[in-house]
Amino acid sequence: MSFFKKFKEKMLGTKEEIEETVSITNKFKEGLAKTRNQFTSKVNDLVAKYRKVDEDFFEELEEILLQADVGFETVSELMDSLRFEVQRKNIKDTASIQSVISEKLVEIYEAGEENITELQLEKDGLSVILFVGVNGVGKTTTIGKLAHRLKSEGKKVMLAAGDTFRAGAIDQLQVWGDRVGVEVIKQAEGSDPAAVMYDAIRAAKTRNADVLICDTAGRLQNKVNLMNELEKIHRVISREIPNAPHEVLLALDATTGQNALVQAQTFKEATNVTGIVLTKLDGTAKGGIVLAIRTKLHIPVKFVGLGEQMDDLQPFDSERYVYGLFAEGLELESENETDK
């Protein structure tokens, strides 16, 4: 069965479930439009150019994938896997190649692991999510949208304004707190971020909050200072709540492409990053960076930003992501299969 048919089967359920599934799937399809328009059009041209799957086809496909910022390691793994699959299934023509590519990309992303994109939150008691990332990537906006998502799931959410150095950062977080309707714990600009975390945890415990989302400064100019600050924050949080923070989410701007990988590597060295939130995925033609991050850094992408609206921050789904990359081609392949 083709990737598209298996994908469609997973979209079955009650009327409400189907409507929600279709809505989320469309967000991925629309959010990845820029990448798909660049990437898929080149793949379609390649399929039209080469009727048979041969080494020249593979070489040009490899170049297209690299241009989409899929990353050298991922592309190498994919090409080896594709060559093996083409030989195993004795695939001669290029008509069904997009479905095979789709299946292999999902396999590479998931790498045999399950539930890697789910937030690891406490079932009982306070969960702490620490947000890290450089200025300008949409970190504060993402915190606000995540607070909205968790609140809509029935959780009591509070925010901690730990970015005490950037002018206006505290006020910006307060604006989001007011918009979402959650309390923000803050101190004066220039305060010790670890002291803010201490106050926020005490307040969250007193108010019986379910989730505390903590903002932090995003200065990369001096990595030693960044490491020291994050270590101190981590120490204070874990002292107050064993095993916390339960998630350390790194916000990255998808439009920066390979530069996002450099940032991710720096933060990974500074703290135990448990997941990536990839912002502005709808604003880039290089959406392949999702796969590069997963393969190179072995950190799962937990959320993606697919637009400006409050509910456009979506939990990452590898199958919806791959469908978003290949939508038209997969649908056409499915139609051709049906006609045969």
Side-chain angles (χ1 to χ4, degrees):
M1 191 187 296
S2 70
F3 170 86
F4 184 68
K5 282 185 177 176
K6 283 188 279 189
F7 180 70
K8 281 289 189 184
E9 278 190 2
K10 289 188 176 181
M11 295 173 69
L12 300 176
T14 65
K15 183 183 177 185
E16 291 76 15
E17 287 170 341
I18 292 170
E19 285 175 356
E20 184 182 3
T21 302
V22 169
S23 173
I24 295 169
T25 301
N26 284 338
K27 282 184 186 295
F28 274 84
K29 186 176 177 181
E30 291 161 12
L32 285 158
K34 287 189 178 180
T35 297
R36 189 171 62 255
N37 290 343
Q38 288 255 340
F39 176 64
T40 311
S41 62
K42 289 178 181 177
V43 173
N44 288 340
D45 290 346
L46 186 64
V47 168
K49 179 180 175 182
Y50 292 94
R51 292 299 178 185
K52 294 191 179 298
V53 179
D54 57 19
E55 197 52 39
D56 288 338
F57 172 83
F58 279 128
E59 284 182 11
E60 287 200 40
L61 177 61
E62 188 171 354
E63 184 61 32
I64 290 168
L65 288 161
L66 287 170
Q67 288 171 4
D69 265 7
V70 171
F72 181 75
E73 288 89 347
T74 315
V75 171
S76 296
E77 186 179 344
L78 175 63
M79 299 315 295
D80 289 344
S81 186
L82 276 177
R83 285 184 174 94
F84 176 79
E85 195 69 8
V86 163
Q87 191 172 15
R88 187 178 74 85
K89 291 184 176 177
N90 196 28
I91 297 171
K92 299 294 185 185
D93 62 62
T94 58
S96 60
I97 199 71
Q98 291 192 39
S99 184
V100 180
I101 296 170
S102 301
E103 288 168 9
K104 293 301 164 189
L105 286 176
V106 171
E107 284 176 18
I108 288 170
Y109 186 88
E110 294 182 350
E113 296 181 62
E114 292 183 4
N115 304 323
I116 54 174
T117 61
E118 289 182 12
L119 285 178
Q120 302 304 306
L121 302 179
E122 292 288 291
K123 289 181 180 176
D124 299 304
L126 179 63
S127 298
V128 180
I129 300 173
L130 189 66
F131 258 87
V132 297
V134 300
N135 299 333
V137 297
K139 179 158 53 83
T140 310
T141 299
T142 301
I143 288 171
K145 289 181 177 179
L146 181 58
H148 167 72
R149 168 172 281 277
L150 293 172
K151 187 183 175 189
S152 67
E153 292 172 2
K155 293 180 173 61
K156 183 173 182 179
V157 183
M158 292 176 65
L159 307 180
D163 186 356
T164 58
F165 295 98
R166 181 171 62 89
I170 297 169
D171 291 340
Q172 189 183 357
L173 192 68
Q174 184 63 63
V175 167
W176 271 103
D178 294 340
R179 187 179 299 173
V180 177
V182 298
E183 187 177 355
V184 179
I185 304 300
K186 59 189 178 183
Q187 291 185 11
E189 204 170 285
S191 300
D192 179 4
V196 177
M197 299 306 167
Y198 178 80
D199 284 354
I201 289 170
R202 287 300 179 95
K205 283 181 174 179
T206 301
R207 293 160 178 68
N208 293 318
D210 298 307
V211 183
L212 175 66
I213 307 177
C214 306
D215 193 10
T216 61
R219 300 162 301 162
L220 278 185
Q221 291 84 349
N222 187 328
K223 198 161 74 173
V224 175
N225 282 357
L226 173 72
M227 285 185 175
N228 289 341
E229 189 175 293
L230 288 175
E231 281 173 11
K232 186 178 178 183
I233 288 170
H234 218 285
R235 202 161 55 243
V236 167
I237 293 172
S238 59
R239 190 177 66 219
E240 295 302 311
I241 304 175
N243 303 319
H246 302 92
E247 290 277 7
V248 179
L249 300 181
L250 170 61
L252 293 175
D253 181 343
T255 64
T256 62
Q258 290 293 314
N259 189 44
L261 270 178
V262 177
Q263 289 176 26
Q265 188 64 54
T266 302
F267 276 98
K268 191 181 179 185
E269 290 168 10
T271 189
N272 178 34
V273 176
T274 58
I276 303 289
V277 180
L278 201 59
T279 68
K280 310 174 191 177
L281 190 58
D282 59 311
T284 182
K286 298 199 169 188
I289 193 66
V290 171
L291 292 153
I293 289 167
R294 174 67 179 150
T295 308
K296 195 173 179 71
L297 299 175
H298 307 290
I299 303 171
V301 174
K302 299 218 169 188
F303 289 92
V304 287
L306 298 171
E308 299 297 322
Q309 301 303 313
M310 194 85 84
D311 62 349
D312 285 338
L313 179 72
Q314 286 292 325
F316 181 72
D317 181 300
S318 56
E319 291 186 343
R320 284 191 173 107
Y321 164 75
V322 169
Y323 170 72
L325 288 179
F326 292 99
E328 287 84 359
L330 289 170
E331 287 164 9
L332 185 61
E333 277 185 18
S334 181
E335 286 174 13
N336 290 339
E337 277 186 14
T338 305
D339 291 341
K340 285 180 183 178

